[in-house]
Amino acid sequence: MQLLNNNLSDRVAKEIKVPAALKSSRSQILHIGVGGFHRSHQVYAIQQLIDSNPEKFSKWAITGVCMMPEDLQLVENLRKQNQRYCLKMSTPSGTEDIRVMNAIASILHSASDAVKIVNRIASAETKVISFTITEGGYNIDFDKSRFLIENPAVQADLINPDQPGTVFGFLAKGLALRKLRNNGPITLMSCDNIQENGHILKLALLSFISVYDESLLPWIADNVRFPNSMVDRITPVATEKDKADFERQYGLRDNCLVVSEDYFQWVLEDNKYGDFPPLEQVGVEIVAEVKPYEAMKLSILNGGHTLVGLLGDALGYNRIHNAVVDEAISRIYDMYVQQEVIPTLAVIDGVSFYNYYEKVKLRFSNAMINDSTDRIISGSSDKVPKFVLPVLQEQLKNSSPKKDITLLIIIAWWVYLEKEFNKNQMADVKDQKVTEWLPMFETAKGNGDWFISYKPVFGALAEHVELVNLYKAYMKVVQEGELGSLIDKILEKYS
Ligand code: CS2
């Protein structure tokens, strides 16, 4: 088996776009969280920039950092391939574009490269630190906008600052050194799916630093920027089959293959500091205010994903492209977007929410990317508060709020968890709340009324009497029949 590294097979060299070697040893971006999404999105943009003028832009190559123990294998695989990998992008009509990426100059892991990571944060060469650490990675109680300082991992970093383990511990130590060395301003850029992700990153970091070392705060105020951004490219986890197909076709094994759709969007707030890559040259939209774009994408696309994933699972689908064309799911998604979501969105000049939605639905139907309901449902306790509940909170400001489909999503989520509980498979549910839930499902004995009162996800929603009454009435419909009966009932009501 020959690995895809610097040696490329004839077929790769002939059929795939291969970049020139990097023309600089500099790496001015440090990125934390090198998952599939980072490699299909930000690396793709930086790759295009470097390819457009390698002499000038190779300095923007990325140093990647992984922090999770389960990333050790990826780090090893990337190193064996000199950080090269292929990105396979597919259109809904079935055409493919495959490119070799070499914009990751090196890769580090927090467990073994802590000193190097701190030094890179401090280094004058590093101009941007970017993040894809997932919705849960910011350690924020979103209901109260509070950094969870009591988190044991955070406490460990405060007690033992010389051996950081969390992203905040690393940043605090590295930025303190940067200040000491007078190494200049820096942009900290969140690329996660969170409304006002830059503000959230800032809130988390400043909360941590105010306990860690308050004297750093004025330097941060003067030297660090936190732009908000909206990022978008559907990137399922590449399967063994994807890798085997690639190997068969091109005669090379790529253990770091990334598959994604061809669609790409990145809207970035014009709020950076010091040197910054000219991303506008590769299609990134730089705008004064990102918030309306984030709200549109998080509710129509990510909230829509949650809807299609959970309803799909309940109706027996395990692929998003099959679930989204189911007649009932497709109609309920239309109604959700038209009647619950769009009325809560702030107008964006030149953007039609209806066209945006049509496009999203087409993207979901892309069979080539073969996205799973499992991926979409995973981490729902972090996703639902950011993708689904903000729409409900806006709706609840109205005298007659539209909320039925949001309740349907919440109930479908409970149906999924109850199903896994009954099959004794709660251990397979990928969600950080699952151990906490287990006794709750045991005590409830099949009754789902308690679920909406679960504060860490739903906050104070249960105090809304009319909402809870409707939730309970809908839960009864599901418990006496099935989720399909509730879907029919709501379709009738909304038609
Ligand atoms: C998905 C996102 O994880 C999810 O639930 O909605 O990963 C989605 O695919 C991306 O945000 C697309 O940009």
Side-chain angles (χ1 to χ4, degrees):
M1 177 179 78
Q2 206 196 339
L3 275 186
L4 180 140
N5 45 32
N6 288 345
N7 310 317
L8 300 174
S9 68
D10 290 349
R11 287 205 70 179
V12 168
K14 208 162 7 130
E15 293 175 29
I16 295 183
K17 187 169 174 212
V18 180
L22 294 172
K23 299 282 187 289
S24 163
S25 59
R26 276 195 282 169
S27 160
Q28 299 195 143
I29 299 178
L30 182 70
H31 180 82
I32 318 237
V34 187
F37 177 72
H38 168 66
R39 286 183 291 137
S40 76
H41 192 264
Q42 186 177 336
V43 177
Y44 172 76
I46 294 294
Q47 186 74 55
Q48 288 186 90
L49 185 69
I50 296 176
D51 290 353
S52 72
N53 189 338
E55 308 290 337
K56 193 168 165 193
F57 294 131
S58 286
K59 64 181 184 184
W60 288 112
I62 298 165
T63 296
V65 174
C66 291
M67 308 241 351
M68 308 301 276
E70 61 268 27
D71 291 339
L72 281 164
Q73 186 65 55
L74 173 69
V75 168
E76 195 184 312
N77 289 345
L78 276 167
R79 282 183 180 154
K80 281 191 189 145
Q81 298 187 185
N82 304 323
Q83 290 76 244
R84 285 184 164 210
Y85 62 92
C86 277
L87 172 62
K88 185 170 108 174
M89 299 164 281
S90 312
T91 63
S93 61
T95 53
E96 279 178 357
D97 178 5
I98 307 183
R99 301 191 192 180
V100 176
M101 302 279 128
N102 72 346
I104 300 183
S106 64
I107 183 94
L108 304 171
H109 195 284
S110 56
S112 46
D113 302 309
V115 175
K116 282 189 192 154
I117 296 169
V118 170
N119 280 326
R120 286 229 64 99
I121 297 171
S123 163
E125 184 181 299
T126 305
K127 305 294 184 193
V128 177
I129 306 178
S130 51
F131 302 82
T132 43
I133 53 175
T134 78
E135 297 81 13
Y138 294 83
N139 191 43
I140 294 273
D141 173 345
F142 284 88
D143 196 36
K144 301 193 190 65
S145 292
R146 188 180 74 86
F147 182 68
L148 299 161
I149 197 89
E150 64 277 16
N151 176 333
V154 169
Q155 283 299 317
D157 277 7
L158 290 169
I159 294 165
N160 202 352
D162 283 334
Q163 285 181 329
T166 71
V167 65
F168 307 106
F170 274 100
L171 285 173
K173 194 166 162 57
L175 291 175
L177 201 58
R178 191 176 182 98
K179 172 182 175 239
L180 193 76
R181 294 181 182 162
N182 206 9
N183 276 344
I186 188 158
T187 301
L188 263 52
M189 177 169 71
S190 165
C191 296
D192 277 294
N193 284 314
I194 299 175
Q195 180 88 52
E196 298 192 278
N197 53 12
H199 291 168
I200 293 294
L201 174 62
K202 184 174 177 182
L203 169 71
L205 183 63
L206 297 192
S207 310
F208 180 82
I209 287 184
S210 50
V211 182
Y212 179 92
D213 175 5
E214 253 190 350
S215 71
L216 255 180
L217 293 174
W219 182 87
I220 294 193
D222 290 345
N223 290 280
V224 186
R225 289 290 181 273
F226 300 85
N228 293 309
S229 66
M230 181 267 246
V231 291
D232 193 6
R233 174 166 262 188
I234 298 174
T235 311
V237 183
T239 60
E240 188 42 49
K241 181 176 180 307
D242 291 323
K243 292 174 194 166
D245 288 349
F246 180 85
E247 190 172 353
R248 204 169 314 111
Q249 210 171 342
Y250 296 102
L252 283 178
R253 177 73 186 176
D254 183 355
N255 284 321
C256 308
L257 178 73
V258 178
V259 294
S260 77
E261 59 177 344
D262 63 325
Y263 183 90
F264 170 94
Q265 191 176 21
W266 188 353
V267 185
L268 183 61
E269 186 186 4
D270 193 4
N271 172 25
K272 64 242 183 200
Y273 212 163
D275 210 0
F276 196 81
L279 290 171
E280 62 285 358
Q281 293 185 18
V282 289
V284 178
E285 299 159 69
I286 312 284
V287 302
E289 218 208 334
V290 181
K291 204 174 167 184
Y293 292 88
E294 290 171 337
M296 169 181 79
K297 191 252 166 172
L298 290 170
S299 57
I300 297 181
L301 185 143
N302 297 107
H305 247 162
T306 300
L307 179 153
V308 174
L310 287 169
L311 265 49
D313 182 82
L315 300 192
Y317 299 102
N318 58 19
R319 296 284 142 194
I320 293 295
H321 61 272
N322 294 327
V324 77
V325 297
D326 174 277
E327 202 190 327
I329 296 178
S330 166
R331 282 184 61 209
I332 210 97
Y333 188 16
D334 290 350
M335 287 177 180
Y336 176 61
V337 170
Q338 286 159 12
Q339 301 195 38
E340 293 190 22
V341 176
I342 291 182
T344 67
L345 297 177
V347 172
I348 309 175
D349 278 347
V351 175
S352 152
F353 295 134
Y354 292 95
N355 293 348
Y356 179 81
Y357 169 55
E358 282 312 315
K359 178 96 192 175
V360 165
K361 227 176 151 190
L362 181 70
R363 291 166 60 198
F364 283 7
S365 71
N366 187 341
M368 296 293 288
I369 59 167
N370 202 25
D371 206 359
S372 65
T373 52
D374 205 38
R375 178 183 85 88
I376 298 303
I377 295 172
S378 69
S380 284
S381 67
D382 287 316
K383 293 174 180 175
V384 168
K386 284 151 217 95
F387 301 169
V388 178
L389 300 183
V391 170
L392 179 61
Q393 268 129 16
E394 279 305 307
Q395 281 288 352
L396 289 175
K397 293 179 186 160
N398 301 332
S399 52
S400 45
K402 288 262 191 179
K403 50 190 181 304
D404 301 56
I405 301 178
T406 304
L407 291 178
L408 171 67
I409 298 172
I410 297 173
I411 292 173
W413 183 19
W414 174 84
V415 166
Y416 162 76
L417 292 171
E418 177 70 11
K419 181 184 73 185
E420 298 303 305
F421 173 77
N422 284 330
K423 286 197 283 184
N424 232 339
Q425 285 178 357
M426 280 301 250
D428 295 343
V429 173
K430 297 182 200 81
D431 199 300
Q432 51 167 327
K433 292 285 188 276
V434 82
T435 11
E436 219 173 280
W437 281 330
L438 201 56
M440 300 177 182
F441 276 89
E442 267 157 18
T443 317
K445 296 197 172 27
N447 186 324
D449 287 357
W450 66 276
F451 193 51
I452 200 164
S453 316
Y454 179 70
K455 283 214 165 90
V457 169
F458 299 109
L461 266 193
E463 285 165 21
H464 201 283
V465 179
E466 198 218 322
L467 178 88
V468 172
N469 287 341
L470 187 62
Y471 169 82
K472 287 186 179 163
Y474 280 173
M475 187 56 98
K476 198 156 175 260
V477 174
V478 171
Q479 294 191 312
E480 283 169 0
E482 51 187 20
L483 197 79
S485 333
L486 181 58
I487 297 180
D488 292 343
K489 197 177 169 78
I490 297 176
L491 279 176
E492 208 174 297
K493 180 168 168 187
Y494 270 37
S495 295

